[in-house]
Amino acid sequence: MTDHITQTLENRVLTLTINRPERKNALTQAMYGALADAINAANDDAGIRAIILTGAGDMFTAGNDLGDFASDMERSSGEPPVTRFLNGIRDAEKPLIAAVNGPAVGVGLTMLLHCDIAYAAESANFRTPFTALGLVPEAGSSLLLPLSVGNSMANDILLAGRILSAQEALDCGLVSRVEPDTGLMSAALATAERIAIAAPTAIRRSKALIRMNREAVKDRMEAEGKMFAEQLKSPDFAEAAAAFMQKRPPVFKD
Ligand code: COA
C-alpha cells in the first residue's frame, strides 16, 4: 500500500495520479505495485471505461526512484512490481490516456509508448537519461520508440539523452496534443469521457485490433529487462547513483 498513488473514479473514468511531489514523483516499487494493481483490476471492472495517468504538482514523474532502484530489483522474489506495472500497461484492456503535466523522465517517457493516447502540458518535457546512468532502454522502448518517432530522433533521445520540449514531442508524434498547463486535465477528461460513452465492446475490440501481433514487444521487454538488471549491478550505475545523491557529475572509467 502507498499513499503516493491516488485514485479517483468519475463518469467511469479512473484517474491515477502519481503523487509524491517532494521527490518529483519518482516511482518506488510500492508505487509501481499500486499502479499495476489498479490497471490490472480495471480490466475486469465494467465500471471503468478509460484510465488517465497523470502526476501531481509540477512534474509528471522523475522516473524510477534512484535510491531504491537496485535494492528493490534484488530484493523482490517473483515478478518485481516494476515488471508488473510495465506488463500491466502493455496488456491493459481499457484505454490508457497519459496527461503529461510536467517533465517526464525515464519511465515517464517510456510508459507513454504503451498508452493509447498521450497529451502534454506546455510545461512538459521528455527525456531518458539511461546511458548517463549506465543503464539501457526499458519498457520496450528500444523497439517502440524508433517506430513511434523515427530512428534518428529515438537515438537522439535514448543514446544522447536529448530533452524534447512539449512542442517537439508533438512534432515527432510522441504526444498527440499540447495544451496550456491549466487546460490539460480537462482535455484528457473530455477525451476519456468520449471513450467512456462509446460502445464498450467496440472500444475493447478496436484496442485489441490496434495492439494485435505485439509478441515482439514482449520479447524485447524481456531482453531489455535482463540487460537492465545486469547494468544495475555495474560499477557505472553505482557511480551514477552515488553522483546523483552527492549532487555531482558522475565520472565513468574507460
Ligand atoms: N529518485 C530519487 N529522488 C529523486 C529523483 C529520483 N529519480 N528525482 C528527484 N529526486 C529528489 C531529489 O534528490 C531532491 O531531493 P532533496 O530535496 O532531498 O535534495 C528532490 O527530489 C527534488 O529534486 P531536485 O533535483 O531538487 O529538483 P529539480 O527540479 O532541480 O530537478 C529533475 C528535477 C527530475 C530534473 C532532477 O531531480 C533529476 O534529474 N532527477 C533524476 C532523474 C533520473 O535520473 N531518473 C531516473 C531515470 S531512469
Side-chain angles (χ1 to χ4, degrees), residues 22-24 26 59 62 64-66 105 127 129 133 244 247:
E22 69 283 5
R23 281 283 178 272
K24 298 288 170 185
M59 188 102 195
N64 208 106
D65 186 295
L66 286 167
V105 184
R127 74 190 160 109
L133 290 169
F244 177 76
K247 301 188 190 292

Side-chain angles (χ1 to χ4, degrees), residues 158-179:
L158 291 175
L159 298 184
R162 174 170 170 173
I163 303 176
L164 293 189
S165 67
Q167 184 60 46
E168 287 172 322
L170 179 66
D171 293 343
C172 71
L174 186 61
V175 301
S176 58
R177 207 154 147 171
V178 175
E179 291 287 335

